[in-house]
Amino acid sequence: MTSMKRITPISNFAFYILYFTFCILLFGCSSEKKTQELSSNIAYQDNKVRFTVVTDGVIRLEWAQDGAFTDAKSFVAVNREYPEAEYKLNETDSLVEISTAKMTLKYRKGSGKFTPDNLSIISADGIFPFTWKPGAKQQGNLKGTYRTLDGYDGNEYAYKEYLEPGETPEMPIEDGLLATDGWTLIDDSRNFLFDNSEWEWVAERPDTLVQDWYFLGYGHDYKAALKDFTIFAGKVPLPPRYAFGYWWSRYWAYTDNELRELVHHFQTYDIPLDVMVIDMDWHHTYPGKGGWTGFSWNKWLFPQPEKLLNYLHDNGLKVTLNLHPADGVAYFEDVYPAMSKAMSRQEAKDTIKYVGSDKNYMSAWYNEALRPLEKMGVDFWWLDWQQELFAKEKPDLSNTWWINYTTFTDMERNRDTRPMLYHRWGGLGNHRYQIGFSGDALITWKSLDFQPYFNTTASNVLYGYWSHDLGGHYDPPGDSINPEMLTRWMQFGALSPIMRTHASKSGILDKQLWRFGHKYLDVLRKTVVQRYELAPYIYTMARKTYEEGLSLCRPMYYDYPEAQEAYDFRNEYMFGDEILVSPITAPMTDGYAAQKVWLPQGGDWYEWSTGTLLKGGQTLERRFAIDEYPVYVKAGAILPLYNGKTKNLSRNDEEIVVTIFPGGNGESTLYEDNGNDKNYAENYALTKLSSVWENNSLNITIGSRKGNYKDMPACRNFKLKVLASAIPEKITVNGKTVNYSYCGDELALMVDIPETACSKEKTVKITYAADAPDLTDGLAGKFRRIGQHSVTLRYRAPALAFTEELGTMEATNRSITYEPEKLNEKIEIFRRNYAVLPEIMKQQKCLSYEEYTLPESEQQWFLKAIDWKK
């Protein structure tokens, strides 16, 4: 049954009675409706109540005492028309019943304001059961996020002396959109609205008695609930591609010379970089010339800032500057005359106060204070709001929420490139204005341990792009940075939404990676490089965030809602669709971190750093050296990656390494677009990837690219990489036999694809012998450990002369690379020797002035260093 859009409460009500009577006579009292492609989806309306089916999992519930329903956008609900939704309306003289595939709503007609006595919603068959009535309290909310990590040591506020009476130190993380109860109610009754001006501005709701609720019924289909939320609350925008590279940030009074030297060092050490963050010292902070707030370049440090910005851009970098806007625009600022003129005020030696809710002020601020800097070369803004949470002019208006909105939409309206900002969380609805700046966490293992959980719960409010101060911000234990802690933080950061280092203004908190010696520099550089290798996969998953509301870092219960471990292992998370991460957040013991890992059932998991295929459906303890990390890829996954040579993400014609993991069949997609334009909603391209085992043959398809976007390259190089691969008998690409190379370090088969045209499908068939060996028992990790610690052992015992057994073990990976046709033989020898390695170590001799056996202490050190187990 269809209710028409209300014109006035009385006329609509009269029409509704006539129409309802006609439908009963003609069709009976039950009808099924499909809406048009876009519709208001109003299922029922009378003179005080309106029910709107947003999706089969969301119903908007409105009661208005005066019958005036709200059609204007609110801060949370910005869409008022929705895609097609299916529902059934059953109506009697006294009851309204609306049923969807997920729930049934019942309301007693004419009974007024929603109460437990007149309104109920129950789950449909096949949905995790729930029953809801107004006033019901959730028991299992899975939490959302919090404005900032400022001052927190983990989830506990470190400076308890500043707490208010009765205030607890535990972080008050807000409730999120999901709960184990299977339902969520969003009360939008008192939220601010947007007006209908060209640049939509804050408006207050009429001071009338209303209930404006959104009921989400999802059972345990958490993913569906998040997508449903985007239908009425708007999508998560796709950040520009460069945002997923490495950001350098430091609270430091840099000079032009020092920043150029910094870029030179990144290039010298071959460390990729995309974003240069310049903290508040870009402007004057000198007493009488500035402070926290400033808009005029400090030309003592930057004599010609436009030339520095040009230099950074010429080196492929994007630039963001720090802003503290709260103190307004002082009379000594360069922009003061233009601001005064734009606001039609007399110039005087006073400060133009910041009033975020004043459209006149904000328009002048963007046009006169920020726009000239953007034209000079500032790519986006770091809004570091540190003052009052709420605007004095509108006490309930969050300055944080509001400046996120105004800055993002100002960019949206006034530039061709993709809008992006960098600020703290302001509240529900801020998912539309990202990236998030999480603030100043303490430098402790406890802080690191909290951040994986903080990331994943934020996805429950779609705030999936938190950027943390990797390595922590201030107050390190001791008088220096702990390199192990920094390395583990960076490894986590490489598998986070945004990878950005930062620290407080302190000489001992310099996180330039080359400061930490070769042992850690090699690992830190490799960590950044691996982030860039993952960039095509990450960007593809970011598109999924835009399409479906699924953040890059997701709690395990999204995919495994009925497994208790998915809730208990709260630090584990899925990094996109195919990768599971179990972050190391505690120091090592004897060179290894012992990590308890839960691997969900439903398939096997490939431990990437060691090359071990593990069964799903178990909890086990694994051990990781400093250059290893608990990353698990679904068996058979096929991922689009870069080749390790990418220096930043400004280009879009890099070689794609289609990487296949052992253990099954797989399929995925490579997403690409212009990278920084605003037309990505329609202008993009997809390439389907698949791999299927048939007997002893692996068949891989790189599909023809579908779609189009500005500056799309017609061709690109593709390489195929098959991990834990035996040596094939034959390889064909599009029916023609081709050669291959082999990487002994990863036991990976490498195949160059001759066809480069993206419009053409590429099919690869790899045929193996029926008795091809299984290489998924951790051989790659054993190669690496023996190779590294053999070098260290020779430094500990310089006179050591390896026997043939130990020498060939150390060289196995290199030997296989040189002679892959002998892989089976060399693997068999390695495994045989590894099984009796303690006996082999007893045979090691040292040759100096006389021959002697390697001391037992060194034998035991080596076995412990490689974590040998029979």
Side-chain angles (χ1 to χ4, degrees):
M1 178 164 291
T2 306
S3 63
M4 304 298 289
K5 191 168 183 178
R6 181 179 64 84
I7 300 172
T8 66
I10 296 176
S11 61
N12 184 73
F13 183 68
F15 172 82
Y16 180 82
I17 294 296
L18 292 172
Y19 181 69
F20 174 69
T21 304
F22 173 77
C23 286
I24 290 178
L25 293 173
L26 188 61
F27 302 109
C29 63
S30 177
S31 65
E32 184 172 348
K33 175 189 173 181
K34 280 190 177 182
T35 68
Q36 298 298 316
E37 185 176 352
L38 277 178
S39 170
S40 59
N41 285 10
I42 298 171
Y44 172 82
Q45 179 176 331
D46 60 29
N47 61 343
K48 291 190 177 181
V49 170
R50 183 166 73 173
F51 297 126
T52 303
V53 179
V54 179
T55 72
D56 62 1
V58 179
I59 299 178
R60 184 184 183 192
L61 320 168
E62 294 175 274
W63 171 83
Q65 188 177 53
D66 62 358
F69 302 113
T70 299
D71 292 325
K73 300 176 182 179
S74 79
F75 275 19
V76 169
V78 294
N79 296 328
R80 295 306 190 191
E81 291 192 333
Y82 317 107
E84 181 179 7
E86 292 187 0
Y87 60 85
K88 289 182 179 179
L89 173 65
N90 288 291
E91 189 174 353
T92 67
D93 291 342
S94 60
L95 187 69
V96 175
E97 181 178 290
I98 300 170
S99 298
T100 74
K102 294 183 177 178
M103 55 188 164
T104 296
L105 174 152
K106 294 182 180 180
Y107 172 69
R108 187 157 47 84
K109 294 170 71 172
S111 57
K113 184 178 180 179
F114 302 141
T115 70
D117 296 326
N118 65 13
L119 177 66
S120 67
I121 301 178
I122 62 171
S123 55
D125 292 342
I127 304 297
F128 180 84
F130 62 80
T131 298
W132 173 85
K133 292 184 178 182
K137 301 295 183 183
Q138 280 184 338
Q139 302 302 310
N141 193 280
L142 294 167
K143 311 309 289 183
T145 194
Y146 185 60
R147 176 177 174 269
T148 182
L149 296 177
D150 284 344
Y152 280 89
D153 185 12
N155 71 332
E156 186 172 291
Y157 195 67
Y159 307 105
K160 298 179 177 60
E161 63 271 22
Y162 295 111
L163 294 174
E164 297 293 332
E167 190 177 5
T168 63
E170 185 176 356
M171 180 181 291
I173 298 180
E174 300 166 18
D175 281 352
L177 297 169
L178 306 176
T180 56
D181 309 65
W183 60 266
T184 297
L185 183 74
I186 299 173
D187 187 350
D188 207 30
S189 306
R190 306 310 306 168
N191 204 350
F192 285 103
L193 304 176
F194 289 108
D195 65 17
N196 61 358
S197 60
E198 186 272 331
W199 186 16
E200 296 171 345
W201 209 250
V202 59
E204 298 195 37
R205 283 180 181 262
D207 188 18
T208 56
L209 294 177
V210 298
Q211 292 170 307
D212 191 354
W213 298 345
Y214 291 84
F215 183 87
L216 284 67
Y218 44 83
H220 281 173
D221 191 350
Y222 302 131
K223 291 181 178 181
L226 296 173
K227 185 171 184 179
D228 284 350
F229 179 71
T230 69
I231 300 300
F232 66 90
K235 292 186 175 185
V236 180
L238 179 59
R241 187 170 55 241
Y242 68 78
F244 298 102
Y246 179 36
W247 300 27
W248 174 260
S249 180
R250 185 185 183 193
Y251 183 21
W252 193 250
Y254 279 112
T255 67
D256 185 316
N257 285 330
E258 196 173 0
L259 282 173
R260 289 171 188 263
E261 183 181 6
L262 178 67
V263 172
H264 173 71
H265 278 113
F266 270 96
Q267 295 169 347
T268 299
Y269 288 96
D270 202 23
I271 299 171
L273 183 66
D274 264 276
V275 178
M276 182 64 72
V277 182
I278 306 178
D279 210 323
M280 59 181 285
D281 289 285
W282 70 270
H283 63 73
H284 274 292
T285 57
Y286 190 80
K289 294 186 69 68
W292 286 94
T293 299
F295 306 98
S296 307
W297 281 96
N298 182 347
K299 293 190 178 180
W300 302 341
L301 306 180
F302 306 101
Q304 295 190 43
E306 64 277 3
K307 291 190 175 181
L308 172 65
L309 295 176
N310 288 338
Y311 167 81
L312 295 172
H313 286 152
D314 290 344
N315 281 272
L317 302 179
K318 303 297 182 182
V319 181
T320 182
L321 302 183
N322 176 281
L323 289 178
H324 290 83
D327 291 337
V329 180
Y331 71 92
F332 49 75
E333 295 285 359
D334 296 342
V335 301
Y336 183 80
M339 279 285 295
S340 296
K341 182 178 179 181
M343 295 184 66
S344 301
R345 69 190 302 274
Q346 293 292 323
E347 289 187 44
K349 286 197 171 184
D350 64 345
T351 295
I352 306 174
K353 293 182 179 180
Y354 177 89
V355 186
S357 58
D358 181 354
K359 197 171 192 177
N360 187 33
Y361 175 89
M362 295 302 286
S363 296
W365 187 63
Y366 288 118
N367 291 329
E368 308 302 336
L370 302 193
R371 200 85 65 227
L373 295 166
E374 293 172 356
K375 290 177 180 178
M376 188 183 292
V378 177
D379 294 287
F380 64 101
W381 296 103
W382 173 10
L383 299 169
D384 200 353
W385 184 272
Q386 84 286 4
Q387 277 85 359
E388 297 89 351
L389 270 174
F390 298 98
K392 294 177 181 178
E393 296 73 23
K394 290 185 180 291
D396 294 326
L397 176 64
S398 163
N399 268 321
T400 307
W401 198 104
W402 185 243
I403 199 172
N404 288 348
Y405 164 76
T406 58
T407 304
F408 192 93
T409 55
D410 174 77
M411 297 174 71
E412 206 168 30
R413 296 166 64 247
N414 290 291
R415 59 167 66 183
D416 296 328
T417 54
R418 211 169 289 180
M420 186 175 78
L421 55 81
Y422 167 40
H423 194 206
R424 290 170 171 84
W425 162 254
L428 200 61
N430 254 190
H431 69 282
R432 301 187 295 269
Y433 324 116
Q434 301 198 52
I435 303 296
F437 163 56
S438 68
D440 305 342
L442 271 66
I443 301 174
T444 64
W445 286 102
K446 191 175 177 182
S447 285
L448 171 57
D449 183 60
F450 180 64
Q451 287 183 8
Y453 174 74
F454 189 77
N455 270 359
T456 56
T457 60
S459 71
N460 294 339
V461 287
L462 282 74
Y463 205 65
Y465 292 119
W466 270 124
S467 170
H468 302 303
D469 291 2
L470 299 178
H473 185 76
Y474 58 179
D475 283 0
D479 58 358
S480 64
I481 293 175
N482 178 335
E484 181 192 348
M485 185 194 300
L486 175 63
T487 300
R488 292 308 193 193
W489 223 315
M490 288 287 285
Q491 290 168 332
F492 162 66
L495 297 161
S496 294
I498 304 296
M499 188 179 192
R500 176 186 59 85
T501 44
H502 188 63
S504 184
K505 188 180 283 187
S506 166
I508 67 171
L509 296 182
D510 184 356
K511 295 176 183 174
Q512 295 177 89
L513 307 186
W514 45 90
R515 302 283 190 194
F516 296 96
H518 287 297
K519 174 184 177 181
Y520 289 101
L521 170 59
D522 290 347
V523 180
L524 290 166
R525 181 190 172 278
K526 177 183 174 184
T527 299
V528 178
V529 169
Q530 288 176 334
R531 168 73 176 197
Y532 278 77
E533 289 175 342
L534 283 165
Y537 170 76
I538 291 172
Y539 200 51
T540 299
M541 292 299 104
R543 177 71 192 202
K544 192 160 192 174
T545 303
Y546 169 74
E547 295 286 357
E548 301 182 22
L550 295 177
S551 297
L552 185 61
C553 297
R554 313 166 188 168
M556 297 303 297
Y557 46 76
Y558 284 14
D559 289 298
Y560 308 97
E562 306 309 328
Q564 185 58 42
E565 294 92 338
Y567 304 89
D568 294 341
F569 282 75
R570 70 180 213 168
N571 269 20
E572 278 191 23
Y573 59 92
M574 292 299 296
F575 190 64
D577 292 342
E578 306 290 343
I579 297 174
L580 184 156
V581 182
S582 177
I584 294 172
T585 60
M588 297 183 294
T589 301
D590 296 327
Y592 285 89
Q595 186 77 355
K596 190 176 181 182
V597 178
W598 170 61
L599 299 177
Q601 63 182 7
D604 294 344
W605 297 85
Y606 187 72
E607 191 174 75
W608 202 343
S609 63
T610 67
T612 308
L613 191 64
L614 298 165
K615 294 291 184 184
Q618 62 171 328
T619 298
L620 65 167
E621 183 177 287
R622 303 290 293 170
R623 291 168 58 80
F624 299 91
I626 192 65
D627 61 343
E628 300 169 343
Y629 209 65
V631 176
Y632 298 89
V633 184
K634 289 180 179 178
I638 177 169
L639 303 185
L641 306 177
Y642 280 154
N643 60 16
K645 300 177 182 179
T646 303
K647 296 300 175 283
N648 64 51
L649 301 179
S650 58
R651 293 175 54 187
N652 194 30
D653 58 354
E654 304 274 3
E655 179 182 65
I656 294 294
V657 181
V658 178
T659 305
I660 299 172
F661 293 78
N665 301 331
E667 60 180 26
S668 66
T669 301
L670 167 65
Y671 169 80
E672 52 185 300
D673 62 25
N674 174 267
N676 198 18
D677 67 1
K678 295 191 294 187
N679 304 317
Y680 60 85
E682 293 82 24
N683 297 339
Y684 62 92
L686 301 174
T687 302
K688 297 292 185 182
L689 309 173
S690 67
S691 61
V692 178
W693 281 95
E694 294 180 356
N695 299 319
N696 299 326
S697 294
L698 178 60
N699 300 286
I700 302 102
T701 301
I702 302 171
S704 60
R705 183 176 60 194
K706 307 296 182 184
N708 195 24
Y709 59 87
K710 181 183 177 183
D711 300 327
M712 184 173 75
C715 300
R716 73 162 75 240
N717 292 324
F718 286 90
K719 185 187 290 288
L720 191 66
K721 183 177 185 179
V722 184
L723 294 172
S725 172
I727 301 304
E729 294 181 335
K730 183 179 181 181
I731 304 176
T732 62
V733 177
N734 291 342
K736 296 182 180 180
T737 301
V738 297
N739 295 321
Y740 66 88
S741 60
Y742 198 86
C743 174
D745 292 343
E746 297 180 275
L747 295 171
L749 180 73
M750 312 293 288
V751 182
D752 290 317
I753 307 298
E755 179 61 67
T756 61
C758 296
S759 60
K760 294 185 178 180
E761 183 177 271
K762 299 101 180 155
T763 58
V764 184
K765 184 173 184 177
I766 305 174
T767 304
Y768 294 94
D771 60 348
D774 178 14
L775 305 179
T776 61
D777 59 345
L779 280 171
K782 292 171 184 175
F783 289 170
R784 184 177 58 255
R785 293 178 181 183
I786 286 179
Q788 290 173 350
H789 294 294
S790 292
V791 173
T792 307
L793 180 61
R794 286 196 295 272
Y795 275 90
R796 293 170 64 99
L800 175 63
F802 283 170
T803 61
E804 178 182 359
E805 291 84 358
L806 186 57
T808 56
M809 288 182 73
E810 189 276 340
T812 299
N813 60 328
R814 187 63 51 208
S815 181
I816 290 171
T817 300
Y818 293 152
E819 298 180 292
E821 67 279 3
K822 295 183 179 179
L823 177 140
N824 292 7
E825 172 190 343
K826 295 177 185 298
I827 292 298
E828 183 180 351
I829 293 171
F830 180 90
R831 284 174 169 157
R832 184 170 63 243
N833 287 335
Y834 192 87
V836 295
L837 188 55
E839 296 303 316
I840 291 174
M841 294 307 299
K842 293 177 182 179
Q843 300 166 14
Q844 302 307 304
K845 302 296 183 182
C846 296
L847 302 176
S848 184
Y849 295 106
E850 60 182 18
E851 179 181 308
Y852 59 93
T853 301
L854 180 70
E856 184 177 356
S857 61
E858 297 300 326
Q859 299 174 29
Q860 294 303 316
W861 173 88
F862 183 76
L863 293 171
K864 190 173 185 178
I866 68 169
D867 202 32
W868 182 85
K869 294 180 178 62
K870 189 172 182 179

